[in-house]
C-alpha cells in the first residue's frame, strides 16, 4: 500500500500540477493520456509491421502481439507511476537517478522520434494516395502542415486531443470492418497466441519497439504531467488509465492482425519485395476490393495524424533535459519546428515509407531497454525521488524481469535490424 502521509512535492521540470483539480478536469486529463498513448502505439508503423510479419509468419505472429502487450503493461505501469509520483519528466528523472543519463535518453528519444515522424509523414502520404490517388509526397506534406496548424492554434492542447479522439474512433471502426470481411481463422490464431509454431526475436523486438519503444513509452505519462494529474493521490486513477490504454492498444492490435491474417490464410499472395511495396494496403484491397483499399487509406491517414502529433509532442517534451524552463508557447513552436524538419527530411529521402516504418520500430526496440533500465533503477534505489511513496516490490520485480528480456531481445536482433538499411 502507498504511504500517502508525505506532502506532495512541488511540480518540477515545467509540469503545472495544479492543486485541487476537479473530477472533470482529472477525467479529461486521463482520457487525453490514454488516447495519446494508445493511438501512438497503433500508428502506421504498427500497421505496416503487422502486415509484414503476418505475411511472413502467419498465425504464429499472434504470439509476438501477446508478448508486446505484456511488455507494454509492465513498461507503462512503471513509467506512468514513476512520472506521476516524482512529478518529473523522464529526462529529469533519469538525470536525478544517474547523473547525465537524462541527456542520453533525451537524445535517443528525440532522434528515434524524428525518424519515426519521417515515417509517419510518409504513412500519411500513403494513406491519402490510397484514399484519393494523391501523390504521396504531396499528401505527406499536407498532413504535416495540418499537424503544424494544430500546434500554431491558440488552444493547441485542446485541438491536439480532439484530433486524436476523432482519428481513434475512425481507426477502430474501419479496422473492425476489415477484420469482419476478411474472415480470419480465429481458432488457429488463438492457439498460436499461446503455443506459437515459431518464435522470432527480431519480429518481437521490432513490434515492441513500434508499440512501446522510444517516444511512445513516455507519451501518455508526459501528457498526464502537462495536464497536472500527478502526485500520490492520483495513483489509483493513473493505474486505471494505464490499464485502459493498454487494453485499447491490445484489442486494436489483435483485430488488425486478424484482418490481415484472414487475407493471408485465404491464399492471397502479397508482395513484400518491391521498393514501394505497401503490404497493409494490399491486404485491405484483397479483403474488400477497391473500397477496402480506400478504407485502408483512411485508417493509415488517421493513424499517421495521431502518430505525427504524438511523436512530435513527446519528442519535444524531452528538450526540457537541456532547457528545463521551456514555456508552453516555446514547446509549441519547437514542436512546429520538429514537424517541419521531419517534413523536409521526408521530401528529400528516397527510403520507402513502409520500409522506414519497420526499421524505426526495430530501432526504438533497441532504445527501450536503456530507458527502462534507468527507470527501474530509480524505482529500486532512489526512494528519495518518490517523496515518501513506497514503490510496490512486485512491480519492480516485473520491471526488472522485463528489462532483462528487452536487453536479451535487443542483443538477439540488433544485427537483423540494421541489416534492413542495406536490404
Amino acid at each position: 500500500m502507498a504511504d500517502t502521509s508525505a506532502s506532495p512535492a512541488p511540480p518540477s521540470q515545467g509540469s503545472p500540477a495544479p492543486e485541487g483539480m476537479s473530477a472533470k478536469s482529472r477525467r479529461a486529463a486521463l482520457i487525453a493520456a490514454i488516447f495519446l498513448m494508445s493511438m501512438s502505439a497503433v500508428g502506421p508503423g504498427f500497421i505496416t509491421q503487422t502486415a509484414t510479419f503476418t505475411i511472413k509468419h502467419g498465425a504464429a505472429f499472434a504470439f509476438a502481439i501477446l508478448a508486446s502487450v505484456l511488455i507494454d503493461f509492465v513498461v507503462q505501469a512503471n513509467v506512468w507511476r514513476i512520472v506521476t509520483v516524482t512529478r518529473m519528466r523522464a529526462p529529469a528523472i533519469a538525470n536525478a537517478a544517474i547523473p547525465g543519463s537524462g541527456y542520453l535518453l533525451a537524445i535517443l528519444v528525440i532522434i528515434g522520434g524524428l525518424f519515426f515522424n519521417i515515417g509517419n509523414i510518409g504513412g500519411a502520404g500513403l494513406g491519402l494516395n490510397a484514399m484519393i490517388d494523391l501523390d504521396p509526397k504531396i499528401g505527406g506534406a499536407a498532413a504535416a502542415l495540418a499537424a503544424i496548424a494544430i500546434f500554431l492554434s491558440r488552444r493547441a492542447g485542446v485541438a491536439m486531443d480532439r484530433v486524436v479522439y476523432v482519428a481513434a474512433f475512425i481507426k477502430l471502426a474501419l479496422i473492425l470492418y476489415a477484420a469482419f470481411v476478411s474472415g480470419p481463422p480465429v481458432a488457429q490464431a488463438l492457439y498460436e497466441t499461446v503455443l506459437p509454431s515459431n518464435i522470432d526475436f527480431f519480429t518481437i523486438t521490432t513490434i515492441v519497439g513500434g508499440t512501446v519503444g522510444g517516444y511512445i513509452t513516455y507519451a501518455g505519462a508526459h501528457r498526464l504531467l502537462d495536464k497536472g494529474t500527478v502526485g500520490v493521490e492520483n495513483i489509483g486513477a493513473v493505474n486505471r488509465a494505464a490499464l485502459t490504454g493498454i487494453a485499447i492498444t491490445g484489442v486494436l492490435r489483435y483485430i488488425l492482425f486478424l484482418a490481415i491474417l484472414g487475407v493471408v490464410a485465404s491464399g492471397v499472395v502479397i508482395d513484400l519485395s518491391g521498393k514501394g511495396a505497401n503490404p497493409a494496403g494490399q491486404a485491405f484491397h484483397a479483403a474488400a476490393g477497391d473500397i477496402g483499399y480506400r478504407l485502408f487509406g483512411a485508417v493509415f491517414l488517421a493513424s499517421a495524424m495521431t502518430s505525427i502529433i504524438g511523436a512530435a509532442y513527446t519528442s519535444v517534451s524531452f528538450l526540457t533535459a537541456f532547457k528545463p524552463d521551456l514555456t508552453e508557447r516555446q514547446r509549441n513552436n519547437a514542436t512546429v519546428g520538429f514537424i517541419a524538419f521531419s517534413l523536409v527530411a521526408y521530401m528529400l529521402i528516397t527510403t520507402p515509407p513502409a520500409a522506414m516504418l519497420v526499421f524505426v520500430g526495430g530501432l526504438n526496440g533497441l532504445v527501450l531497454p536503456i530507458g527502462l533500465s534507468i527507470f527501474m533503477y530509480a524505482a529500486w534505489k532512489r526512494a528519495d525521488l518518490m517523496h515518501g511513496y513506497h514503490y510496490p516490490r512486485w512491480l519492480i520485480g516485473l520491471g526488472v524481469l522485463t528489462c532483462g528480456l528487452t536487453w536479451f531481445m535487443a542483443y538477439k536482433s540488433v544485427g537483423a535490424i540494421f541489416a534492413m538499411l542495406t536490404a
Side-chain angles (χ1 to χ4, degrees), residues 269-331:
V269 177
I270 297 177
D271 176 35
L272 293 176
S273 60
K275 283 292 185 182
N278 183 355
Q282 294 176 61
F284 273 72
H285 187 274
D290 289 339
I291 293 177
Y293 191 62
R294 304 297 181 188
L295 292 179
F296 155 76
V299 170
F300 226 58
L301 178 61
S303 299
M305 286 303 300
T306 55
S307 293
I308 290 170
I309 291 168
Y313 165 82
T314 310
S315 297
V316 167
S317 72
F318 275 76
L319 289 177
T320 55
F322 309 101
K323 186 174 171 50
D325 58 346
L326 273 177
T327 65
E328 183 176 359
R329 182 180 181 83
Q330 289 172 330
R331 289 200 353 246

Side-chain angles (χ1 to χ4, degrees), residues 14-40:
S15 60
E19 295 295 331
M21 281 185 76
S22 68
K24 183 178 180 180
S25 297
R26 184 179 294 107
R27 184 166 56 251
L30 293 170
I31 292 173
I34 288 169
F35 276 89
L36 185 64
M37 181 270 282
S38 59
M39 292 304 105
S40 294

Side-chain angles (χ1 to χ4, degrees), residues 169-184 252 255-256 258-260 262-263 283-299:
F169 287 110
I170 291 173
K171 188 190 309 185
L172 175 60
L174 296 181
I175 291 175
L176 278 170
Y177 172 77
F180 176 77
V181 298
S182 73
L252 273 173
I255 293 173
L256 177 65
L258 288 175
I260 297 170
V263 173
F284 273 72
H285 187 274
D290 289 339
I291 293 177
Y293 191 62
R294 304 297 181 188
L295 292 179
F296 155 76
V299 170

